[in-house]
Amino acid sequence: MDFRARRYERGSNWTDPEIVELLQLWSDESVQIELESSLRNQRVFDRIAHILREKGIYRSGDQCREKIKKMKLEYRRIKDNHKMRTWKFYDVMDRVLANRPAVSYSSLGGAVVAQQVFQGSGGSEAYLHGVPAGSFGPSCSGFRDMNAVSATSATHIGPVMQETSEQPRGEAPCGSISVKQRKRRRGGRASCGRSGGRESLDRALVSFLNWQQSAEERLLSLEEARLEREFQAEERREQREERRAEKERQHELHLFTMLTGALFSTRQEAAATMPSDRLVSPLAHLSTPPMATAGPAVSSSLSQFPQEALTAQPVPTQETKKSQPMSVKTCQVSQDVFATLRGAEAPGHSVYLSSRGNSIRQHQGILQEGFIQYAMDKHHQTDNPDGIVNLGTSENKLCYDLLHKRLTKPDMLHVEPSLLHYSDWTGHTFLREEVSKFLSHYCCSPMPLRADNVVVMNGCGSLFSCIAAVICDPKDAILIPTPFYGVITEDVHLYSDVKLFHVPLDCEADGKESRHFHLTVGKLEAGLKKAKQEGWNIRALILMNPHNPLAEIYTPKEMIGFLEFAKRNELHAIIDEVYMLTVFDESVTFHSVLSIESLPDPQRTHVMWGMSKDFAMAGIRIGTLYTVNTDLVEALAQLGSFHGLPGTLQHQVAQLLRDRDWINNEFLPENRRRLKSAHSLLTRELQSLGIPFLDRPATLYVWADLRKYLSKSTFEEELSLWRCFLRHKVLLSCGQAFSCSTPGWFRIVFADQQPQLQLGLQRIQEALKEIEEENTSSDTCSIKGIDYEGKKPEKEENDEPDNTAVVNSTSSPQSKSSDQLKERDSPVPDTGMLGAEEFVLLDCQKSKPAENLDSLIGTLRHQIRSSDWLEKNTPVLSHGEDPEILDVFKSLLQRAKK
């Protein structure tokens, strides 16, 4: 069965060439007779669809039948209402439906027979007067057989009677009169009997044909009544659709009025510092047709910009000293307002791309979405103080002065011919040698590591992608505990079509000696068993040490247990140690897998490391892999041409790794000191807010528990809280971006300069305060119409203080409720869904006119974005349909100018 017709919705538009092909098949006389003679016509339309498919038109039988039905309705509506017959297919439908032969439905011998009857006047009378049966057109097979039998019997009776009458005449030529009379009387009775049988047969046939005609008329009347009912139902549906569109139109006008009022309020607040004509510019753009925006579109959830357009305050007077012209910034704000009102929609299907290309183009994770919003509105102390503070992207921003000093030394500015030529795709030999020496020293390897086992690429993401491509087949899977760094999903899937099978870790400690999100061999065994039961082919295991986002440091005993598990099940073990030098507590020691003297399965153990985290050089994009599996190294070398590094960059990295004096005496001690100070600042603030967190002296972030700020333990509420932080101009990473099984956990990055970190923490505190006020306010309104009394018990339960906070790892957090535990298995919602906070402030705006203006604008922006009214009904385009629309818009614009 061809399923390509499924892409056409039922009742979707047909092109004129497709309709012409359909009518040519449907109007055929044999098809019409078969349609009229069968009670079930599905097979007829299936054959029509089959012929259309041979001609390259992929439609199903149901779609063909629905199209013919709608064309019949249109034909009858035009004909019954005596309208102008300008429909292009009216003549074709009229020839077929008006000149259709009268068809009778009779059953002889169990077969349905179609017969044309009474085509001319006096059809039945002509039959009674002896007109041959052929004059009625195709005759009934049963009737034809009966006439043949009658004729045959007559031919057989005639000769027999003649022979019997001639024999006595030969024997007695002078027969008696009485014998002749008896014969005459017998012949008379026989002829009388034959004529009587003929008359009764004629009467039966006439009666049967009359019954056929009346049955056909009844059937046609029923069909007409059914078509009339369908036509009336279609008219009622169109009327309901028109009423709905009118209500939506009025609703959008109301929202537009509210938006104008909000912009007017913003203008009043900024009247002293910004000329009034510039404030009108956002509305002036609305009267122009939509313009195509440069750059690719992102997911639909990106349409909710972090208020950078509507909440951008006018530039203070002191900022007039900046070199950037004010008109440029005003134009940018206007474009942002216009783009916000239109809504940035997800990219549609492109005919220029393959299915895989469209899937890659439309893919957008939460981490990428947050970073894109941050990139559009980056915080700067002087240029953009109201921009977004990024505490969500794991970057070390504390050591720029140290790196700048080292990277600008003369030994870094070296260029030789070999650096400008092609090199080994696994990296220049001198770089791989320095990497092997570096890892041997800092990983405490029992034996010197070989440079031939080192592969260098442009980032650990490229290494994940290439390793998945060479050890897995498409649709294979890799085992990974959750939560984990979410971008690994794209690394292994976009190129290689390899899936990740999650092993959820419990956020609660399951024993006195256990830890939160504790990974054990037993959990890996259970996850592998479940994967095999579901039919997945597991090829590898991914482990991170130190962990992202938990910041957990696994002991050598634990790592050996994990590697032995991988060996038992013949799994590749991919170990990510990209944070191995980012441990800022002298009392804690990190043990690399490369420090183990005897690995359980060296051929399937592969260790990754990079300079993005340990050396605060995320933009350098260098990742290294060490493996003794030469087959894997050779396979990765084939892909190295797509992921190579510039020769000059390889030289700089080699020089940096070679300078042990700078690393040990200057960079690492100062980097650890600054990380420890920033970590202490963040943890003190979390403790003051009573927020539980995992206290681990490693990595660049803290895994914090914000579940008490969720009104319900759902991922929708978590995403709503994430968007609330964005509205307050601070970016965090929510738990579902890391496939966390329990909603409410957030990763907070602390490796930033102290002013930015303090500002970000201040905005986090303001956002949480707003959430608490909304949860406790008696006039808070739910989008679903649930009143406050119905939500109060749940609020009181969620607001209980979590005294058993995960602080300094001395106590376990209090379990919220059984509902939260059930949420671990719930699917992660779509990132485009809007949080409840976007709606709550709509009815509460009067009580909070000043501080919640931004939230009101966000609500209006989302509701306008969710409708396509602005695209279809611009004031200029709608002027022809309803002149009042343009007048209303002009009046609103004049009010804003005043």
Side-chain angles (χ1 to χ4, degrees):
M1 180 178 179
D2 195 337
F3 291 94
R4 281 175 286 185
R6 287 188 176 181
R7 66 187 179 94
Y8 295 96
E9 295 285 341
R10 183 172 181 176
S12 61
N13 294 332
W14 287 60
T15 62
D16 289 347
E18 291 177 347
I19 297 177
V20 170
E21 293 292 340
L22 175 64
L23 290 177
Q24 286 180 354
L25 297 175
W26 174 75
S27 61
D28 187 80
E29 182 179 1
S30 61
V31 174
Q32 289 296 314
I33 293 176
E34 188 172 0
L35 287 173
E36 291 296 328
S37 63
S38 59
L39 298 179
R40 302 288 183 180
N41 54 18
Q42 181 62 41
R43 293 180 299 175
V44 180
F45 284 101
D46 286 342
R47 290 198 299 272
I48 293 176
H50 178 73
I51 298 174
L52 290 176
R53 279 195 294 271
E54 293 179 350
K55 297 182 178 182
I57 302 174
Y58 296 97
R59 299 284 183 172
S60 64
D62 291 336
Q63 292 170 337
C64 296
R65 186 175 68 250
E66 288 297 323
K67 186 61 181 178
I68 292 297
K69 183 188 297 183
K70 289 185 178 180
M71 296 183 71
K72 286 183 178 179
L73 287 174
E74 181 68 17
Y75 165 76
R76 294 184 183 277
R77 183 176 65 83
I78 295 176
K79 186 174 183 179
D80 294 343
N81 296 334
H82 305 287
K83 294 183 178 181
M84 294 293 294
R85 298 177 180 179
T86 58
W87 185 33
K88 63 180 70 175
F89 302 110
Y90 180 84
D91 294 336
V92 178
M93 299 295 295
D94 186 64
R95 284 197 300 270
V96 176
L97 297 179
N99 300 326
R100 176 179 292 175
V103 179
S104 63
Y105 295 82
S106 61
S107 177
L108 292 177
V112 179
V113 181
Q115 180 184 15
Q116 295 182 358
V117 294
F118 303 117
Q119 292 292 335
S121 60
S124 59
E125 289 79 8
Y127 182 85
L128 293 176
H129 287 81
V131 179
S135 61
F136 293 103
S139 62
C140 208
S141 61
F143 293 152
R144 187 183 298 112
D145 295 340
M146 292 173 62
N147 294 335
V149 170
S150 301
T152 305
S153 61
T155 56
H156 286 292
I157 293 173
V160 172
M161 293 179 61
Q162 184 176 2
E163 290 174 2
T164 55
S165 61
E166 289 177 355
Q167 184 177 0
R169 187 178 300 117
E171 295 177 355
C174 299
S176 62
I177 298 175
S178 61
V179 174
K180 293 181 180 180
Q181 290 176 351
R182 284 197 300 271
K183 290 182 179 180
R184 190 179 298 109
R185 286 194 298 270
R186 190 182 303 126
R189 286 195 297 268
S191 62
C192 181
R194 286 195 296 272
S195 62
R198 176 66 177 273
E199 291 177 358
S200 62
L201 180 60
D202 291 343
R203 286 194 299 270
L205 288 175
V206 171
S207 176
F208 179 74
L209 293 176
N210 289 333
W211 175 84
Q212 280 185 324
Q213 185 178 15
S214 62
E216 179 188 358
E217 291 175 353
R218 287 195 301 271
L219 181 63
L220 291 177
S221 63
L222 291 175
E223 181 68 16
E224 290 178 355
R226 184 184 67 82
L227 293 176
E228 182 65 24
R229 287 194 301 269
E230 291 182 355
F231 176 71
Q232 293 175 357
E234 183 70 17
E235 285 186 342
R236 289 194 298 268
R237 188 194 65 78
E238 292 178 355
Q239 293 174 359
R240 288 196 300 268
E241 184 67 22
E242 290 177 358
R243 289 194 297 267
R244 186 200 64 78
E246 180 64 25
K247 290 181 180 179
E248 183 180 89
R249 184 177 180 179
Q250 295 175 359
H251 177 65
E252 298 294 346
L253 283 174
H254 177 65
L255 291 177
F256 193 80
T257 304
M258 295 176 65
L259 175 62
T260 306
L263 294 176
F264 180 73
S265 301
T266 305
R267 173 214 172 262
Q268 285 183 335
E269 295 176 0
T273 57
M274 185 175 182
S276 59
D277 55 345
R278 290 176 182 172
L279 225 154
V280 183
S281 58
L283 285 176
H285 285 72
L286 295 177
S287 60
T288 60
M291 298 176 62
T293 57
V298 294
S299 65
S300 59
S301 57
L302 286 183
S303 61
Q304 304 167 9
F305 290 101
Q307 306 287 341
E308 72 274 14
L310 296 177
T311 63
Q313 298 297 329
V315 181
T317 307
Q318 59 185 4
E319 293 189 5
T320 57
K321 300 179 181 179
K322 296 180 181 179
S323 60
Q324 180 182 5
M326 175 61 68
S327 59
V328 176
K329 188 168 185 176
T330 304
C331 181
Q332 292 175 352
V333 173
S334 303
Q335 292 176 357
D336 290 340
V337 172
F338 180 65
T340 302
L341 292 175
R342 288 191 60 201
E345 299 181 353
H349 183 83
S350 173
V351 297
Y352 304 106
L353 302 179
S354 63
S355 298
R356 179 174 56 186
N358 278 289
S359 176
I360 294 174
R361 175 171 173 257
Q362 296 169 358
H363 181 84
Q364 188 73 45
I366 299 178
L367 293 177
Q368 295 91 333
E369 175 187 348
F371 187 82
I372 290 175
Q373 296 197 30
Y374 160 71
M376 293 189 303
D377 189 19
K378 288 185 179 181
H379 172 269
H380 192 274
Q381 289 183 348
T382 57
D383 296 341
N384 189 18
D386 296 327
I388 298 177
V389 177
N390 186 359
L391 300 183
T393 304
S394 180
E395 287 183 299
N396 188 346
K397 302 177 182 178
L398 297 174
C399 300
Y400 173 77
D401 55 338
L402 302 177
L403 293 170
H404 179 269
K405 181 179 178 180
R406 180 64 186 88
L407 293 175
T408 54
K409 287 187 176 181
D411 64 328
M412 291 291 178
L413 306 177
H414 175 73
V415 178
E416 61 183 30
S418 62
L419 300 180
L420 304 179
H421 299 162
Y422 290 120
S423 66
D424 188 343
W425 292 122
T426 59
H428 274 288
T429 303
F430 63 83
L431 175 59
R432 289 188 285 113
E433 289 177 353
E434 291 301 327
V435 170
S436 62
K437 295 176 183 179
F438 178 89
L439 295 179
S440 298
H441 176 73
Y442 289 98
C443 294
C444 302
S445 174
M447 297 289 293
L449 303 179
R450 297 181 54 193
D452 293 338
N453 298 331
V454 175
V455 177
V456 181
M457 288 187 177
N458 57 340
C460 292
S462 298
L463 288 171
F464 271 119
S465 178
C466 294
I467 293 174
V470 299
I471 69 174
C472 300
D473 291 325
K475 308 303 181 183
D476 284 351
I478 298 176
L479 206 65
I480 187 169
T482 64
F484 66 92
Y485 178 50
V487 181
I488 298 178
T489 302
E490 290 80 31
D491 293 340
V492 303
H493 174 69
L494 292 184
Y495 277 158
S496 309
D497 196 17
V498 176
K499 312 297 182 182
L500 292 179
F501 191 89
H502 299 171
V503 180
L505 302 182
D506 193 348
C507 67
E508 309 294 347
D510 52 3
K512 294 183 178 180
E513 299 181 357
S514 180
R515 303 187 299 270
H516 306 277
F517 299 95
H518 188 201
L519 176 61
T520 62
V521 176
K523 294 179 181 179
L524 293 177
E525 294 281 3
L528 180 61
K529 181 179 179 181
K530 182 179 179 182
K532 290 181 178 179
Q533 290 175 351
E534 295 179 4
W536 292 98
N537 182 27
I538 305 297
R539 295 282 298 164
L541 167 67
I542 294 179
L543 297 172
M544 288 168 282
N545 188 29
H547 194 275
N548 184 3
L550 303 178
E552 189 74 47
I553 300 176
Y554 296 108
T555 64
K557 182 179 178 180
E558 291 176 315
M559 293 302 299
I560 291 176
F562 302 151
L563 295 178
E564 289 177 348
F565 158 79
K567 180 182 179 181
R568 287 194 304 270
N569 296 278
E570 297 183 351
L571 302 179
H572 290 267
I574 306 172
I575 314 299
D576 182 359
E577 295 184 351
V578 73
Y579 290 97
M580 73 173 186
L581 298 181
T582 313
V583 179
F584 45 82
D585 191 341
E586 295 78 7
S587 62
V588 178
T589 303
F590 168 79
H591 298 276
S592 172
V593 168
L594 296 177
S595 66
I596 300 176
E597 186 172 357
S598 178
L599 292 174
D601 190 358
Q603 291 295 320
R604 289 190 176 92
T605 303
H606 322 296
V607 182
M608 290 196 311
W609 177 80
M611 302 185 68
S612 299
K613 316 302 180 183
D614 287 344
F615 281 86
M617 300 167 65
I620 292 296
R621 307 308 305 135
I622 177 171
T624 65
L625 175 74
Y626 187 84
T627 176
V628 298
N629 191 323
T630 57
D631 295 337
L632 179 62
V633 173
E634 293 173 359
L636 294 178
Q638 300 299 321
L639 301 176
S641 59
F642 309 116
H643 306 283
L645 292 171
T648 54
L649 179 59
Q650 295 189 45
H651 168 76
Q652 293 176 353
V653 172
Q655 289 295 109
L656 197 66
L657 297 180
R658 186 181 294 117
D659 193 352
R660 302 291 175 80
D661 181 71
W662 176 80
I663 295 175
N664 296 330
N665 300 325
E666 187 173 350
F667 178 79
L668 286 183
E670 183 62 21
N671 181 45
R672 289 167 178 168
R673 186 191 65 79
R674 296 179 183 182
L675 287 174
K676 187 174 183 179
S677 175
H679 179 267
S680 300
L681 177 61
L682 173 59
T683 54
R684 284 196 305 268
E685 181 67 19
L686 294 178
Q687 291 176 8
S688 65
L689 296 175
I691 297 176
F693 61 93
L694 299 186
D695 191 5
R696 303 289 186 266
T699 67
L700 310 174
Y701 40 76
V702 166
W703 189 240
D705 182 6
L706 303 182
R707 287 180 289 174
K708 67 179 182 180
Y709 295 99
L710 303 183
S711 60
K712 293 185 294 184
S713 181
T714 62
F715 287 105
E716 289 83 358
E717 288 294 322
E718 179 188 88
L719 191 63
S720 177
L721 179 59
W722 179 73
R723 297 192 186 283
C724 181
F725 288 133
L726 275 180
R727 290 199 304 272
H728 285 78
K729 298 304 183 70
V730 58
L731 173 63
L732 304 183
S733 297
C734 57
Q736 58 186 286
F738 304 93
S739 301
C740 185
S741 59
T742 304
W745 290 84
F746 281 75
R747 190 186 74 174
I748 307 176
V749 177
F750 57 82
D752 204 343
Q753 298 294 329
Q754 184 173 348
Q756 283 76 13
L757 180 58
Q758 290 177 341
L759 179 60
L761 294 177
Q762 178 184 351
R763 293 178 178 180
I764 291 175
Q765 187 175 1
E766 292 172 357
L768 296 179
K769 182 178 179 181
E770 177 184 320
I771 293 295
E772 288 181 338
E773 291 177 355
E774 290 176 356
N775 290 339
T776 56
S777 177
S778 60
D779 59 346
T780 299
C781 305
S782 172
I783 187 61
K784 295 182 180 179
I786 303 177
D787 55 279
Y788 172 75
E789 289 75 12
K791 296 176 67 178
K792 187 174 181 180
E794 180 182 359
K795 168 65 194 68
E796 293 175 352
E797 179 183 354
N798 290 336
D799 281 348
E800 294 179 1
D802 197 348
N803 296 325
T804 56
V806 189
V807 180
N808 299 326
S809 302
T810 58
S811 58
S812 62
Q814 180 180 0
S815 177
K816 288 291 178 183
S817 64
S818 59
D819 294 336
Q820 291 178 343
L821 299 178
K822 294 178 182 178
E823 287 295 330
R824 298 173 190 146
D825 297 330
S826 62
V828 177
D830 183 24
T831 59
M833 297 182 64
L834 188 69
E837 293 84 0
E838 304 285 349
F839 296 91
V840 167
L841 296 176
L842 183 59
D843 296 334
C844 307
Q845 53 180 318
K846 296 182 180 179
S847 60
K848 306 173 185 178
E851 62 272 17
N852 289 332
L853 179 60
D854 294 345
S855 301
L856 170 62
I857 294 176
T859 303
L860 294 173
R861 182 176 58 190
H862 167 72
Q863 295 193 11
I864 291 176
R865 181 192 61 80
S866 62
S867 173
D868 59 352
W869 186 86
L870 286 177
E871 297 180 2
K872 297 180 180 179
N873 299 276
T874 60
V876 177
L877 295 178
S878 300
H879 178 67
E881 300 178 1
D882 190 354
E884 295 181 0
I885 294 179
L886 188 60
D887 297 337
V888 171
F889 178 80
K890 290 181 178 179
S891 63
L892 293 175
L893 191 60
Q894 292 175 359
R895 287 174 52 190
K897 291 180 179 179
K898 294 179 181 179

